[in-house]
Amino acid sequence: MPRYAAIDVGTNSVLLLVAERDAAGRWQPVLERAEITRLGKGVDQSKRLAPEAIETTVKCLEAFASEARGLGAKGIVTSATSAARDASNGREFLEAAKGRAGLDIEIIAGEEEARLSYASAHADFGGQHPLIVLDIGGGSTEFIYGTREGEVQFRHSFDVGSVRMTERFDGDAPKIREHLKATFSALPEPPPNARLIGVAGTVTTVLTVSRAIDPYDASKVHGATMPRAEVSAVTQKLLSLDLEARKKLPGLQPKRADVIPAGGLILEAAMEAVNATELVVSDRGLRWGLLADRF
């Protein structure tokens, strides 16, 4: 079967998916990779991508594109989200990625990011209940409400993410909580009987740390249910530890250790905002929706 690839360049990490369709037309992964490059470091204040962040991310893109082509990918679609949207020198990054990795990067708007994340979640968990899809990134967080048939009813991207909140409030948990409560108060009433689906690295990391899933095992993560009490408990644990202690936690990538407490606070606040007692964890997000949408 022909193979295709999707690369998601986020504020905190770069994700690669190479996949092919099975006989039933469903996408099946051939290769998945994730690398934390922190493209959005400092963007919230400076509104510019740092030269070292551009270099680290472009090197990663060169490696990912090479792997995808080596596996026979007939096409590669690459998207960039919050950090590249916000930076005044985003063009510099796009030109470097084109020149060195041969990739034409689409900078997608927050609303489009929300739509694609919802499409991915609905493919796996839709059909029986309305869904609320929550996508927590490094620079932004998306909420998408939709019907069980897959129709999107509401979508919005908020400028709160694990990197942005850590940098803006210097890790001050009470200030982050206060800001998140005020920000998420703008959300409309969620659909009755909706299931909350959490996607992206913050959500999967909160789960893997809580349950000490190390090394990462997608079969234990994708589709797992996490009660709000568990989210609160692991967030409190993350806040109680210093950086070096967090780096040693099973299930936590050391490069994510500085921003994961803010990520846990965002997840906790989001669950409270939509009055969810539990969420279903998805380790498939934007890149899966992007792949299905473009190919």
Side-chain angles (χ1 to χ4, degrees), residues 24-222:
R26 294 183 297 263
W27 288 105
Q28 299 296 337
V30 174
L31 174 73
E32 294 191 76
R33 289 268 191 269
E35 185 68 34
I36 294 175
T37 66
R38 199 62 62 83
L39 178 64
K41 183 177 181 180
V43 167
D44 185 56
Q45 291 187 352
S46 70
K47 304 303 180 187
R48 292 182 59 82
L49 300 174
E52 62 272 18
I54 292 176
E55 177 62 23
T56 301
T57 303
V58 171
K59 279 185 177 180
C60 177
L61 289 173
E62 287 181 287
F64 281 4
S66 178
E67 279 194 279
R69 292 174 182 130
L71 288 169
K74 294 171 67 67
I76 305 174
V77 59
T78 308
S79 70
T81 52
S82 180
R85 282 197 301 263
D86 295 346
S88 62
N89 62 337
R91 178 60 56 183
E92 180 184 338
F93 166 63
L94 300 184
E95 290 175 353
K98 174 66 174 177
R100 290 168 52 184
L103 297 172
D104 290 304
I105 298 181
E106 302 177 27
I107 296 185
I108 60 174
E111 300 299 301
E112 175 70 351
E113 184 179 358
R115 182 184 73 83
L116 293 169
S117 294
Y118 187 84
S120 171
H122 186 268
D124 288 329
F125 304 109
Q128 294 186 341
H129 301 273
L131 299 183
I132 303 168
V133 177
L134 171 69
D135 185 346
I136 302 172
S140 63
T141 293
E142 285 72 47
F143 286 82
I144 313 98
Y145 301 173
T147 66
R148 65 181 186 179
E149 293 82 13
E151 179 186 354
V152 173
Q153 297 175 311
F154 167 82
R155 59 189 184 211
H156 188 74
S157 179
F158 293 96
D159 282 338
V160 297
S162 60
V163 175
R164 194 186 297 270
M165 292 296 93
T166 300
E167 292 181 351
R168 183 179 296 181
F169 297 106
D170 197 26
D172 188 316
K175 289 183 179 178
I176 294 173
R177 280 195 172 104
E178 182 181 357
H179 180 76
L180 292 172
K181 185 174 183 179
T183 300
F184 294 158
S185 67
L187 285 166
E189 191 74 18
N193 303 314
R195 295 179 78 190
L196 178 62
I197 313 296
V199 304
T202 289
V203 175
T204 58
T205 298
V206 169
L207 179 79
T208 56
V209 170
S210 179
R211 302 184 185 181
I213 301 173
D214 196 0
Y216 188 88
D217 184 345
S219 67
K220 295 179 181 178
V221 174
H222 190 66

Side-chain angles (χ1 to χ4, degrees), residues 6-18:
I7 301 175
D8 171 14
V9 183
T11 300
N12 195 45
S13 59
V14 181
L15 305 172
L16 166 68
L17 168 65
V18 181

